[in-house]
Amino acid sequence: MPPDTETTFTMELMYRRSLGPVVGGFFTGLRDQRVLASRTAEGRVICPPLEYDPETGDGVDELVEVGAAGEVTAWAWVAEPRRKHPLDRPFAWVLVRLDGADTAMVHALDAEGPDAVRTGMRVRVRWAEERTGTITDIACFEPEGT
């Protein structure tokens, strides 16, 4: 492709999704400062909850509460946050396995710097001051003990 035909643009897809009892229950729980997960027939606890067991495809409708704290299982540092990132200062994207869950959820971790983040560290939810029943009800995670 000749260089004079290239351009750079940002494409965004805006959409709405209707919430069923599982995802709707999850968001209602967040509004009430509770983290809910789905339990499969085999007893696996999936957080954030899914409407179907990812291994069997069977429907899942049992919601159970998991802890608001957990362990970082993986992370990546963001030195230059973008306009739509959850924090306006450097932060880490983390996978957090909440206490009582068998899977991890991705969210932002507010940490001093990359040297303050490690796999296996304990973190907890920092709730948004105003909660509306969306994923942003979790403002971010923060290291336990801060």
Side-chain angles (χ1 to χ4, degrees):
M1 175 181 298
D4 61 343
T5 61
E6 293 180 13
T7 185
T8 300
F9 67 95
T10 301
M11 183 173 78
E12 296 182 17
L13 301 173
M14 303 300 290
Y15 65 95
R16 289 182 176 260
R17 179 184 189 274
S18 61
L19 303 179
V22 173
V23 177
F26 174 67
F27 287 137
T28 299
L30 294 181
R31 184 196 64 205
D32 299 337
Q33 295 185 306
R34 299 171 54 220
V35 183
L36 300 177
S38 55
R39 184 188 316 268
T40 69
E42 288 76 30
R44 288 187 68 218
V45 177
I46 301 169
C47 187
L50 296 177
E51 296 154 330
Y52 297 94
D53 184 326
E55 294 182 7
T56 66
D58 294 339
V60 175
D61 58 5
E62 180 185 2
L63 292 175
V64 295
E65 187 168 354
V66 296
E71 180 180 298
V72 172
T73 62
W75 60 279
W77 187 251
V78 179
E80 297 179 24
R82 295 182 177 223
R83 179 174 51 93
K84 291 192 173 184
H85 279 157
L87 299 174
D88 61 1
R89 56 192 173 279
F91 68 97
W93 286 121
V94 291
L95 281 173
V96 177
R97 186 175 45 243
L98 294 171
D99 296 340
D102 294 308
T103 61
M105 64 184 298
V106 66
H107 213 294
L109 171 66
D110 188 6
E112 294 294 319
D115 293 340
V117 184
R118 64 178 172 73
T119 300
M121 73 183 291
R122 297 280 307 168
V123 296
R124 67 177 178 231
V125 169
R126 180 188 299 159
W127 297 104
E129 288 186 28
E130 293 184 31
R131 293 172 304 284
T132 58
T134 64
I135 193 63
T136 57
D137 289 350
I138 296 177
C140 62
F141 281 84
E142 60 188 9
E144 275 192 340
T146 58

